[in-house]
PDB file of all heavy atoms in Angstrom:
ATOM      1  N   ASP T 177     -14.204 -64.733  17.091  1.00 75.00           N
ATOM      2  CA  ASP T 177     -14.329 -63.431  16.426  1.00 75.00           C
ATOM      3  C   ASP T 177     -14.073 -62.283  17.391  1.00 75.00           C
ATOM      4  O   ASP T 177     -13.553 -61.230  17.008  1.00 75.00           O
ATOM      5  CB  ASP T 177     -15.733 -63.276  15.823  1.00 75.00           C
ATOM      6  CG  ASP T 177     -15.907 -64.224  14.644  1.00 75.00           C
ATOM      7  OD1 ASP T 177     -14.868 -64.687  14.130  1.00 75.00           O
ATOM      8  OD2 ASP T 177     -17.062 -64.493  14.269  1.00 75.00           O
ATOM      9  N   SER T 229      20.044 -62.840   9.982  1.00 74.00           N
ATOM     10  CA  SER T 229      20.859 -61.776   9.396  1.00 74.00           C
ATOM     11  C   SER T 229      20.577 -60.449  10.096  1.00 74.00           C
ATOM     12  O   SER T 229      19.436 -60.129  10.442  1.00 74.00           O
ATOM     13  CB  SER T 229      20.511 -61.655   7.914  1.00 74.00           C
ATOM     14  OG  SER T 229      21.003 -60.449   7.409  1.00 74.00           O
ATOM     15  N   LEU T 407      24.096 -51.675  16.840  1.00 83.00           N
ATOM     16  CA  LEU T 407      25.189 -50.717  16.982  1.00 83.00           C
ATOM     17  C   LEU T 407      26.528 -51.412  16.920  1.00 83.00           C
ATOM     18  O   LEU T 407      27.476 -50.930  16.304  1.00 83.00           O
ATOM     19  CB  LEU T 407      25.040 -49.959  18.300  1.00 83.00           C
ATOM     20  CG  LEU T 407      23.885 -48.958  18.342  1.00 83.00           C
ATOM     21  CD1 LEU T 407      23.787 -48.327  19.718  1.00 83.00           C
ATOM     22  CD2 LEU T 407      24.072 -47.886  17.292  1.00 83.00           C
ATOM     23  N   LYS T 661      23.501 -19.709   0.414  1.00 36.00           N
ATOM     24  CA  LYS T 661      23.839 -18.428   1.007  1.00 36.00           C
ATOM     25  C   LYS T 661      25.032 -18.620   1.926  1.00 36.00           C
ATOM     26  O   LYS T 661      25.246 -19.716   2.444  1.00 36.00           O
ATOM     27  CB  LYS T 661      22.671 -17.900   1.826  1.00 36.00           C
ATOM     28  CG  LYS T 661      21.639 -17.236   0.963  1.00 36.00           C
ATOM     29  CD  LYS T 661      20.569 -16.660   1.818  1.00 36.00           C
ATOM     30  CE  LYS T 661      19.567 -15.902   0.966  1.00 36.00           C
ATOM     31  NZ  LYS T 661      18.416 -15.509   1.718  1.00 36.00           N
ATOM     32  N   ALA T 701      31.359 -62.701   6.295  1.00 47.00           N
ATOM     33  CA  ALA T 701      30.303 -63.677   6.532  1.00 47.00           C
ATOM     34  C   ALA T 701      28.982 -62.987   6.802  1.00 47.00           C
ATOM     35  O   ALA T 701      27.924 -63.377   6.281  1.00 47.00           O
ATOM     36  CB  ALA T 701      30.693 -64.562   7.708  1.00 47.00           C
ATOM     37  N   ALA T 820      10.364  -2.020 -19.391  1.00 85.00           N
ATOM     38  CA  ALA T 820       8.971  -2.199 -18.979  1.00 85.00           C
ATOM     39  C   ALA T 820       7.985  -1.288 -19.715  1.00 85.00           C
ATOM     40  O   ALA T 820       6.924  -1.731 -20.152  1.00 85.00           O
ATOM     41  CB  ALA T 820       8.863  -1.965 -17.472  1.00 85.00           C
ATOM     42  N   GLN T1058     -30.045  70.443   3.427  1.00 81.00           N
ATOM     43  CA  GLN T1058     -28.982  70.206   4.390  1.00 81.00           C
ATOM     44  C   GLN T1058     -28.159  69.009   3.942  1.00 81.00           C
ATOM     45  O   GLN T1058     -28.498  68.284   3.016  1.00 81.00           O
ATOM     46  CB  GLN T1058     -29.554  69.963   5.784  1.00 81.00           C
ATOM     47  CG  GLN T1058     -30.497  68.782   5.835  1.00 81.00           C
ATOM     48  CD  GLN T1058     -31.090  68.645   7.219  1.00 81.00           C
ATOM     49  OE1 GLN T1058     -30.374  68.528   8.188  1.00 81.00           O
ATOM     50  NE2 GLN T1058     -32.421  68.703   7.285  1.00 81.00           N
ATOM     51  N   PHE T1172     -31.458  76.078  15.669  1.00 85.00           N
ATOM     52  CA  PHE T1172     -30.997  77.033  16.679  1.00 85.00           C
ATOM     53  C   PHE T1172     -31.678  76.744  18.000  1.00 85.00           C
ATOM     54  O   PHE T1172     -32.832  76.332  18.043  1.00 85.00           O
ATOM     55  CB  PHE T1172     -31.330  78.484  16.264  1.00 85.00           C
ATOM     56  CG  PHE T1172     -30.691  78.878  14.966  1.00 85.00           C
ATOM     57  CD1 PHE T1172     -31.406  78.861  13.785  1.00 85.00           C
ATOM     58  CD2 PHE T1172     -29.346  79.250  14.939  1.00 85.00           C
ATOM     59  CE1 PHE T1172     -30.800  79.193  12.590  1.00 85.00           C
ATOM     60  CE2 PHE T1172     -28.757  79.585  13.733  1.00 85.00           C
ATOM     61  CZ  PHE T1172     -29.479  79.556  12.552  1.00 85.00           C
ATOM     62  N   LEU T1223     -24.364  95.052  15.201  1.00 78.00           N
ATOM     63  CA  LEU T1223     -24.154  93.652  15.625  1.00 78.00           C
ATOM     64  C   LEU T1223     -24.332  92.660  14.483  1.00 78.00           C
ATOM     65  O   LEU T1223     -23.650  91.634  14.435  1.00 78.00           O
ATOM     66  CB  LEU T1223     -25.139  93.312  16.742  1.00 78.00           C
ATOM     67  CG  LEU T1223     -24.975  94.134  18.024  1.00 78.00           C
ATOM     68  CD1 LEU T1223     -26.070  93.782  19.010  1.00 78.00           C
ATOM     69  CD2 LEU T1223     -23.630  93.847  18.661  1.00 78.00           C
ATOM     70  N   GLY T1289     -40.186  82.726  16.593  1.00 86.00           N
ATOM     71  CA  GLY T1289     -40.646  82.080  17.804  1.00 86.00           C
ATOM     72  C   GLY T1289     -41.272  83.081  18.765  1.00 86.00           C
ATOM     73  O   GLY T1289     -41.105  84.292  18.603  1.00 86.00           O
TER      74      GLY T1289
END
Side-chain angles (χ1 to χ4, degrees):
Chain T
D177 291 342
S229 165
L407 289 177
K661 279 184 176 171
Q1058 59 183 303
F1172 300 99
L1223 297 176

